[in-house]
Amino acid sequence: HPALRLWRHRPDVRYAGRVHESVLGSLPVDLPERFELVDLPIVHHGYLDRAIARKDKAQRNLALLALEPPGPETSFNLGSEHLRLGAWAEAARHLDDAWLAICGRPDWGGAGFASLLALRTARARRETGRLQAARDLLLAALDRFPDYTDLVYDLAACAAAAGDRAA
């Protein structure tokens, strides 16, 4: 996963956000260091089923996210937590909000969470019976992310949900 996880110590670089914290917003625009992907494993157990259950993580995250300012990333995270709980209609509401917010931007494919947002929004739409809306979203996302095979898989799941085995 190409998330920024290691960086040179700088007093001005700080985490922001209560859930899925990130330092990206505090990085100076004229940062002289280079960025590169490295083959360095970082083990994170926070989203294993047992950790989620032990910490009641979805409810904890929902409470924390309610304190965040509104915006596409907050809506994405709220939708993702409702998705985890199987609250499909509530997940779809938040994910649709996030999707509509970023699709209005000319560079929407550059949002770091755009491909995953597309996948999760399509799933929430499919789970709430909005199969055509899910298909339309998946086709638009595949134009931007043609190598993201999970989108193709979810397109097949839409066809299966519609009873279209040939597709």
Side-chain angles (χ1 to χ4, degrees):
H1 186 278
L4 182 61
R5 293 292 184 238
L6 298 172
W7 57 91
R8 196 173 280 163
H9 175 71
R10 301 174 68 94
D12 53 337
V13 176
R14 294 285 180 245
Y15 279 105
R18 291 176 176 87
V19 176
H20 308 298
E21 303 86 343
S22 173
V23 298
L24 291 177
S26 71
L27 291 174
V29 293
D30 61 342
L31 195 64
E33 291 88 352
R34 66 175 194 254
F35 293 89
E36 61 185 73
L37 293 175
V38 295
D39 186 18
L40 180 68
I42 296 176
V43 180
H44 176 52
H45 297 288
Y47 284 93
L48 294 176
D49 288 341
R50 67 179 180 267
I52 291 169
R54 185 178 70 246
K55 296 180 179 181
D56 197 12
K57 201 161 195 167
Q59 292 302 328
R60 182 207 68 175
N61 287 354
L62 287 171
L64 291 171
L65 287 165
L67 303 171
E68 290 290 310
E73 224 171 308
T74 300
S75 293
F76 167 69
N77 287 326
L78 282 165
S80 296
E81 294 304 330
H82 286 291
L83 207 72
R84 185 184 327 281
L85 293 169
W88 304 113
E90 192 66 12
R93 184 174 69 81
H94 290 291
L95 293 168
D96 279 334
D97 286 348
W99 181 254
L100 292 173
I102 72 159
C103 283
R105 301 176 186 169
D107 65 337
W108 71 266
F113 61 98
S115 59
L116 193 52
L117 171 61
L119 184 66
R120 290 180 183 175
T121 306
R123 177 155 188 222
R125 288 178 179 185
R126 179 171 46 84
E127 294 288 351
T128 56
R130 297 166 46 213
L131 296 177
Q132 190 57 51
R135 280 191 203 105
D136 293 345
L137 184 153
L138 289 163
L139 292 171
L142 278 165
D143 280 344
R144 289 284 175 123
F145 308 107
D147 296 327
Y148 190 22
T149 56
D150 288 3
L151 298 171
V152 176
Y153 179 87
D154 217 59
L155 204 52
C158 285
D164 186 354
R165 294 185 55 80

